[in-house]
Amino acid sequence: VQLVESGGGSVQAGGSLKLSCAANKNITSGCAMGWYRQAPGKERELVSLIGRVLGIRYGDSVKGRFTISQDNAKNMVNLQMNSLKTEDTAVYYCAVVQLGGICPSAFRGWGQGTQVTVSS
């Protein structure tokens, strides 16, 4: 699968950004699609995933502030990020992973990443 991310950028703390990720094929129902992030010097962490079997999952640090949604007709997921904090600064990676169901390897993959910078 090929994943193309869009929507990263710079914003002040308290602001909002929306990330989008488009896949070049229909993602089978056993897969989960969504976002991870990695800040400098830190490990990659879950932001949010959505899947027909998994449902919706959020990382603890973004609950109540970020909302993931899926447009199956366009093979896309969107991540609305509100009330952004400086600690949200990271490279955000779109991903299709096996979590909650069976996801064949042909559907799994990672995007190139998009930078999100939140300034105080």
Side-chain angles (χ1 to χ4, degrees):
V1 67
Q2 292 182 343
L3 303 172
V4 178
E5 301 126 331
S6 60
S10 298
V11 67
Q12 289 193 321
S16 298
L17 282 174
K18 182 179 179 180
L19 303 182
S20 295
C21 176
N24 68 336
K25 62 175 73 174
N26 290 323
I27 304 301
T28 191
S29 61
C31 302
M33 186 171 177
W35 300 89
Y36 289 76
R37 69 186 183 188
Q38 188 165 20
K42 295 188 177 181
E43 293 186 355
R44 191 171 294 189
E45 65 172 350
L46 170 70
V47 177
S48 184
L49 290 170
I50 187 169
R52 212 167 295 176
V53 176
L54 175 70
I56 293 177
R57 183 172 293 186
Y58 293 102
D60 289 341
S61 62
V62 307
K63 286 179 181 176
R65 300 187 297 122
F66 292 9
T67 302
I68 193 169
S69 61
Q70 191 169 31
D71 185 338
N72 290 322
K74 297 181 179 178
N75 303 322
M76 288 184 66
V77 290
N78 300 302
L79 184 70
Q80 180 65 44
M81 305 185 294
N82 297 329
S83 302
L84 282 161
K85 304 175 181 180
T86 55
E87 50 263 45
D88 293 317
T89 295
V91 177
Y92 284 68
Y93 296 92
C94 181
V96 177
V97 299
Q98 178 168 288
L99 188 63
I102 303 297
C103 182
S105 59
F107 294 94
R108 286 181 259 154
W110 292 83
Q112 293 296 311
T114 185
Q115 178 70 44
V116 171
T117 301
V118 184
S119 59
S120 58

